[in-house]
């Protein structure tokens, strides 16, 4: 603790006048001669009267008493633990008990000089995290302790990252000291490095499975590569480890969600067998959705959309540009995408369950308010803004991968009409218009769904540039593809008129996620009803079942199953409305991420760069005892924080008691000495 002090908020002049008034009153009362007590007693009782009057006048001024407390805060040193699987998958290197013993001893030795905190550990050192994102770990700690006197972070890791950005070139406001775990010598191993396959295939077709194999220490060794479904081998090849890539064609013969396991033969002496198996999940469906793309003229946007849709094999696209293509013979489609919408071009009469309108240079902006009943757009002239997309965090119609959303900031601006946008009805903004660094309330991309029809309105063209920019910076266009695919998927799905709807909140969960299954029950005129008893049975791939039951309500109409083991699960749900029974069934997958076993070579160079760029130091775990000396020699400065508390002086009971004591003492003495 430092120095504490009090202060008042009253003008000193008023305090002086109160002192003067109290002194004058005391002087008038005790300046008389011939008093029945001595001079010393007279001065003492004058003091009592002066003090009591002054305190009464001071209370009438009602000042605020401010208490200032200085607190000296020690520097905080955080031990951030990489608790991922890669640390223990390889046999060489320290075991968990050695790491735990050192961590406890090192942190304890510094507690006399610093406030020491251990982060990144749940209940113990389990090393069970499925991914490693060191950048997020450090940024989260920076945000969590921004109000603290953060001296340094000690990152204990093998330096292997498989998610997020590299932390080596990020700026931190504190030095990062790193302790290198693991072995930097590549282990002797055979591993599945990567698998590429379709997430969706159509019944009766074949879908490719491309496998990339990594090996160290097993050159030209024959191995068997199998693809299994359950315990059944559905494809197998004998290859040599020099053949690092191979492909299979798998028959999509049965519909439904299928879990396939790629297994590479295990060889003696491998550092780990965990990376010799990897699961993939393929949803086999019965037919393709037909997508019609209309446009008055060719445009790069059209190719960008078609390239994404055609690459999935989920959709069959038809392009119709009058004067270039013949009109399609079919009149009904699952989705119609109109580029340069509201241009007045005549295409014919086509029907679809969903519509996607894309506004461009040929669009008549004033027709939007006439033809779109959920948007009133008032514009002046043909002014346009250069805008980027800003994701609406509360958007609910579908999800984007949260790790990819930041890529929107990299996208180049496109031109959108400038004006006053007013939404109505069941519409929801997906992307806001962002002008410079300001995110406006104007929509760049919005959706409408009134229960009978669904549509999307995009207020700008030229987004083909987004795909090129993303690919140039990230070597993939995953975010752009998600936007196109999920928009298409949402709009092309036909409106469900079932009275009993049961569906998983996500078709593919990751291991550790909580599984939710949502339910909806409707009466005969499709009004939502509650108070229904709903039964649910979930079966795993071995046929083991678990039963659940609930009564739905407006507060809760979802089954919270909790986390589940990896695999494909089927479910059957049933309920009863009056005398009629309803049932629904489906499936979902829980995926094992399986990233930690791909590369088991410790990356101490990354840790050295991170420490060097942030002002810290790197030490290997074998020399970790030196870290205590390094940190003890650092001159992390203490931080003085001042807390201020204010309270009215009139609320202070001790002053009231003091006034009463002074007046009572004075009265008693005067009576005792014969003045009354």
């Amino acid at each position: 603790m430092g120095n504490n002090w009090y202060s008042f908020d009253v003008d000193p002049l008023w305090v002086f006048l109160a002192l003067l008034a109290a002194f004058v009153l005391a002087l008038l009362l005790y300046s008389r001669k011939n008093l029945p007590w001595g001079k010393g007693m007279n001065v003492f009782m004058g003091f009592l009267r002066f003090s009591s009057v002054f305190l009464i006048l001071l209370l009438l001024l009602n000042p605020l008493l401010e208490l200032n407390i200085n607190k000296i805060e020690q520097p905080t040193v955080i031990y951030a633990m990489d608790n991922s699987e890669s640390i223990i998958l390889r046999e060489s290197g320290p075991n968990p008990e050695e790491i735990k013993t050192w961590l406890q001893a090192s942190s304890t030795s510094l507690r006399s000089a610093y406030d020491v905190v251990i982060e990144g550990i749940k209940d113990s050192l389990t090393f069970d995290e499925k991914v490693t994102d060191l950048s997020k770990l450090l940024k989260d700690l920076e945000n969590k302790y921004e109000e603290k006197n953060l001296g340094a972070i000690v990152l204990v890791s093998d330096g292997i990252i498989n998610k997020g950005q590299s932390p080596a070139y990020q700026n931190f406001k504190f030095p990062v000291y790193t302790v290198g775990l693991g072995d930097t010598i590549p282990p002797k191993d055979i591993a599945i490095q990567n698998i590429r396959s379709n997430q969706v295939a159509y019944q009766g077709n074949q879908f490719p499975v491309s496998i990339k194999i990594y090996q160290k220490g097993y050159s030209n060794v024959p191995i068997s590569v199998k693809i299994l479904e359950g315990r059944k081998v559905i494809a197998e090849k004998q290859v040599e480890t020099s053949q690092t890539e191979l492909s299979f064609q798998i028959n999509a013969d049965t519909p439904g969600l299928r879990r396939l396991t790629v297994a590479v033969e295990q060889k003696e002496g491998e550092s780990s067998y965990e990376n010799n198996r990897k699961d993939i999940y393929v949803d086999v469906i019965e037919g393709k959705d037909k997508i019609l793309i209309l446009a008055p003229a060719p445009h790069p946007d059209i190719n960008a959309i078609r390239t994404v849709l055609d690459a999935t094999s989920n959709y069959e696209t038809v392009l119709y540009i009058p004067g270039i293509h013949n009109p399609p013979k079919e009149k009904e489609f699952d989705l119609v995408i109109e580029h340069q919408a509201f241009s007045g071009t005549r295409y014919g009469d086509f029907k679809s369950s969903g519509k996607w309108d894309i506004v461009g240079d040929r669009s008549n902006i004033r027709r939007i308010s006439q033809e779109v009943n959920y948007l009133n757009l008032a514009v002046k002239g043909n002014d346009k803004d250069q805008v980027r997309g800003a994701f609406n965090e509360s958007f609910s119609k579908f999800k984007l991968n949260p790790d990819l959303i930041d890529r929107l900031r990299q996208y180049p601006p496109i031109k959108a009409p400038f004006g006053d946008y007013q939404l109505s009805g069941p519409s929801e903004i997906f992307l806001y218009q962002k002008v410079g660094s300001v995110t406006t309330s104007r929509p760049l991309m919005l959706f409408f769904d009134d229960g009978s029809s669904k549509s999307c309105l995009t207020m700008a063209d030229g987004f083909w540039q987004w795909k090129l920019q993303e690919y140039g910076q990230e070597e993939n266009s995953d975010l752009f593809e998600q936007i196109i695919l999920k928009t298409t998927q949402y709009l092309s799905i036909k409106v469900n008129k079932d009275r009993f709807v049961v569906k998983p909140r996500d078709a593919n969960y990751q291991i550790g996620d909580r599984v939710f299954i949502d339910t909806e029950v409707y009466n005969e005129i499709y009004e939502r009803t509650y108070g229904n008893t709903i039964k649910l049975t979930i079966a795993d791939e071995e046929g083991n079942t678990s039963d659940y039951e609930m009564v739905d309500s407006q507060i809760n109409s979802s089954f919270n199953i909790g986390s589940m083991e990896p695999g494909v699960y089927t479910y059957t749900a049933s309920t009863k409305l009056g005398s009629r029974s309803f049932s629904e069934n489906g499936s979902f997958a829980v995926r094992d991420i399986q990233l930690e076993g791909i590369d088991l070579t410790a990356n101490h160079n990354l840790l050295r760069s991170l420490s060097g760029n942030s002002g810290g130091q790197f030490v290997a775990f074998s020399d970790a005892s030196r870290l205590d000396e390094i940190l003890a020699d650092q001159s992390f400065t203490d931080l003085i924080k001042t807390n201020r508390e204010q309270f009215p002086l009139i609320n202070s009971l001790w002053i009231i008691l003091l006034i009463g004591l002074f007046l009572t003492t004075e009265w008693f003495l005067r009576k005792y000495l014969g003045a009354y």
Side-chain angles (χ1 to χ4, degrees):
M1 298 293 291
N3 296 323
N4 307 326
W5 74 94
Y6 294 90
S7 63
F8 292 96
D9 67 339
V10 176
D11 191 326
L13 177 62
W14 289 107
V15 177
F16 173 76
L17 292 176
L19 285 169
L20 182 62
F23 178 76
V24 169
L25 288 174
L27 184 65
L28 290 174
L29 183 61
Y30 289 99
S31 61
R32 292 177 299 167
K33 299 180 179 180
N34 302 321
L35 293 172
W37 51 73
K39 184 177 179 181
M41 182 60 68
N42 195 56
V43 172
F44 176 67
M45 287 193 291
F47 170 77
L48 293 176
R49 177 58 62 98
F50 164 78
S51 299
S52 58
V53 172
F54 171 70
L55 290 176
I56 290 172
L57 293 175
L58 190 63
L59 290 181
L60 291 175
L61 294 175
N62 194 22
L64 285 175
L65 182 65
E66 186 177 84
L67 173 62
N68 299 276
I69 303 175
N70 285 343
K71 181 179 180 181
I72 299 177
E73 187 175 297
Q74 283 185 317
T76 299
V77 173
I78 301 173
Y79 282 76
M81 190 68 219
D82 176 359
N83 204 17
S84 60
E85 286 183 338
S86 62
I87 299 207
I88 59 169
L89 285 179
R90 185 171 174 177
E91 293 182 1
S92 59
N95 60 50
E97 283 303 317
E98 290 177 305
I99 299 173
K100 182 179 179 180
T101 300
W102 167 79
L103 187 62
Q104 291 176 340
S106 180
S107 60
T108 301
S109 67
L110 296 175
R111 292 189 190 279
S112 59
Y114 307 119
D115 181 15
V116 180
V117 180
I118 299 177
E119 291 277 3
I121 302 173
K122 297 175 182 177
D123 298 322
S124 60
L125 278 172
T126 54
F127 297 108
D128 58 355
E129 296 292 333
K130 296 293 182 179
V131 294
T132 305
D133 189 346
L134 298 182
S135 175
K136 184 176 185 300
L137 173 62
L138 294 173
K139 283 297 182 183
D140 286 349
L141 292 176
E142 184 177 33
N143 293 333
K144 182 177 179 180
Y145 291 91
E146 63 179 349
E147 300 297 329
K148 291 282 190 179
N149 182 19
L150 184 54
I153 286 183
V154 178
L155 176 63
V156 186
S157 173
D158 56 11
I160 300 172
I161 58 174
N162 45 47
K163 185 179 180 182
Q165 300 176 332
S166 170
Y169 303 104
Q170 290 186 294
N171 294 322
F172 297 101
K173 301 176 183 178
F174 46 81
V176 180
Y177 295 81
T178 52
V179 178
L181 302 175
D183 196 337
T184 57
I185 300 174
K188 188 178 180 182
D189 195 19
I190 301 174
I192 299 172
Q193 192 170 28
N194 186 36
I195 300 177
R196 298 193 307 274
S197 68
N198 293 356
Q199 292 187 359
V200 178
Y202 291 90
Q203 187 178 8
N205 293 347
Q206 289 186 324
F207 60 90
V209 176
S210 178
I211 305 167
K212 188 174 183 180
I213 297 174
Y214 163 87
Q215 66 82 22
K216 182 69 177 179
Y218 294 94
S219 299
N220 299 319
V221 174
I223 56 172
S224 170
V225 180
K226 301 177 182 179
I227 298 181
L228 303 93
E229 187 166 18
R231 298 178 182 177
K232 179 184 177 182
V233 177
I234 60 175
E236 181 177 5
K237 286 185 179 181
Q238 294 289 331
V239 298
E240 290 189 351
T241 52
S242 57
Q243 183 178 350
T244 58
E245 293 193 36
L246 63 155
S247 298
F248 292 86
Q249 291 291 330
I250 307 299
N251 293 323
D253 44 11
T254 56
L257 191 60
R258 298 173 62 181
R259 178 193 188 188
L260 307 179
T261 301
V262 177
V264 175
E265 182 182 351
Q266 300 175 0
K267 293 294 184 180
E268 186 177 352
E270 289 189 61
S271 62
S272 172
Y273 293 129
E274 297 288 336
N275 50 22
N276 289 56
R277 297 173 68 90
K278 193 170 185 179
D279 294 333
I280 58 175
Y281 298 83
V282 180
D283 192 5
V284 179
I285 57 180
E286 296 182 1
K288 294 184 178 182
D289 287 341
K290 295 182 178 179
I291 312 297
L292 173 63
I293 302 177
L294 304 174
H299 195 280
D301 285 348
I302 299 171
N303 183 61
I305 294 172
R306 294 191 76 185
T307 301
V308 173
L309 297 182
D310 291 344
T312 65
S313 301
N314 302 346
Y315 304 101
E316 179 183 339
T317 60
V318 177
L319 175 62
Y320 176 39
I321 301 176
I324 298 178
H325 305 103
N326 294 323
K329 294 180 180 180
E330 294 183 69
K331 298 299 180 182
E332 291 192 9
F333 292 85
D334 295 290
L335 173 63
V336 172
I337 303 175
E338 184 176 352
H339 196 267
Q340 309 291 334
F342 316 108
S343 65
T345 305
R346 297 181 180 274
Y347 299 105
D349 186 20
F350 298 102
K351 296 180 180 179
S352 66
S353 59
K355 181 76 186 301
W356 184 0
D357 292 319
I358 301 171
V359 175
D361 291 335
R362 291 172 176 256
S363 301
N364 185 340
I365 304 302
R366 289 174 174 79
R367 292 183 56 187
I368 295 177
S369 297
Q370 301 171 8
E371 299 184 24
V372 177
N373 59 6
Y374 55 89
L375 173 64
N376 183 23
L377 175 58
V379 296
K380 294 181 180 179
N382 295 316
D383 292 343
K384 292 190 175 183
D385 276 333
Q386 292 277 356
V387 303
R388 290 182 169 87
F391 179 65
N392 177 10
E393 297 290 344
S394 60
F395 184 74
S396 61
K397 298 193 180 302
F398 53 79
K399 297 179 181 178
L400 295 179
N401 186 338
D403 296 328
L404 300 177
I405 291 175
D406 280 346
R407 295 187 182 184
L408 279 170
R409 301 175 183 175
Q410 306 170 4
Y411 284 1
I414 54 181
K415 293 181 180 180
F418 174 76
D420 182 24
Y421 293 72
Q422 293 184 353
L423 303 181
S424 61
S427 57
E428 188 174 0
I429 295 176
F430 171 54
L431 296 178
Y432 289 102
Q433 294 182 22
K434 185 176 182 180
V435 182
S437 60
V438 178
T439 299
T440 71
S441 60
R442 304 194 296 266
L444 176 59
M445 192 170 180
L446 70 156
F447 289 81
F448 174 84
D449 184 357
D450 62 0
S452 60
S453 64
K454 293 186 288 188
S455 61
C456 173
L457 181 60
T458 301
M459 296 305 302
D461 62 356
F463 47 78
W464 59 272
Q465 304 169 75
W466 293 0
K467 181 180 181 181
L468 293 183
Q469 179 79 6
E470 184 179 359
Y471 193 89
Q473 292 199 355
E474 306 291 342
E475 298 185 354
N476 64 64
S477 54
D478 289 349
L479 177 61
F480 180 84
E481 292 173 11
Q482 278 199 19
I483 293 174
I484 299 298
L485 286 174
K486 295 206 171 187
T487 297
T488 302
Q489 182 182 10
Y490 172 77
L491 295 173
S492 62
I493 293 176
K494 295 177 177 59
V495 177
N496 194 336
K497 290 295 185 180
D498 291 340
R499 291 177 58 190
F500 183 42
V501 179
V502 180
K503 56 185 177 182
R505 196 166 294 178
D506 199 337
N508 295 288
Y509 293 93
Q510 290 185 352
I511 186 171
D513 290 347
R514 300 190 72 83
V515 175
F516 290 89
I517 298 181
D518 300 324
T519 67
E520 299 173 9
V521 183
Y522 298 88
N523 61 20
E524 292 185 3
I525 59 172
Y526 292 95
E527 294 174 332
R528 188 75 179 269
T529 66
Y530 299 98
N532 310 285
T533 300
I534 302 174
K535 297 180 179 180
L536 175 71
T537 300
I538 297 179
D540 62 17
E541 294 169 293
E542 303 296 327
N544 303 312
T545 62
S546 300
D547 296 322
Y548 305 87
E549 184 176 313
M550 76 167 178
V551 177
D552 66 346
S553 66
Q554 289 182 324
I555 298 175
N556 179 39
S557 58
S558 302
F559 287 95
N560 182 351
I561 310 301
S563 58
M564 305 178 72
E565 292 297 316
V568 173
Y569 294 86
T570 58
Y571 64 85
T572 301
S574 62
T575 192
K576 199 169 185 179
L577 280 172
S579 59
R580 187 175 174 185
S581 297
F582 296 85
S583 66
E584 285 285 318
N585 56 65
S587 60
F588 62 90
V590 178
R591 299 171 179 261
D592 191 348
I593 303 173
Q594 298 173 308
L595 292 177
E596 287 293 307
I598 294 176
D599 184 4
L600 297 177
T601 305
N603 188 355
H604 288 180
N605 287 333
L606 181 144
L607 300 179
R608 288 189 179 92
S609 297
L610 172 59
S611 293
N613 294 336
S614 64
Q617 292 188 45
F618 166 84
V619 295
F621 184 78
S622 58
D623 196 26
S625 58
R626 205 164 55 86
L627 181 68
D628 300 350
E629 301 174 6
I630 294 173
L631 290 174
D633 291 340
Q634 300 305 308
S635 56
F636 301 132
T637 57
D638 293 338
L639 182 66
I640 299 177
K641 288 187 175 181
T642 301
N643 294 326
R644 296 179 179 177
E645 297 181 5
Q646 291 182 332
F647 54 92
L649 194 63
I650 198 170
N651 293 341
S652 300
L653 181 62
W654 63 271
I655 293 184
I656 306 297
L657 294 175
L658 193 61
I659 293 172
L661 177 63
F662 287 165
L663 292 175
T664 301
T665 303
E666 182 189 6
W667 172 84
F668 174 78
L669 290 174
R670 289 175 65 89
K671 189 167 183 66
Y672 178 78
L673 296 173
Y676 290 116

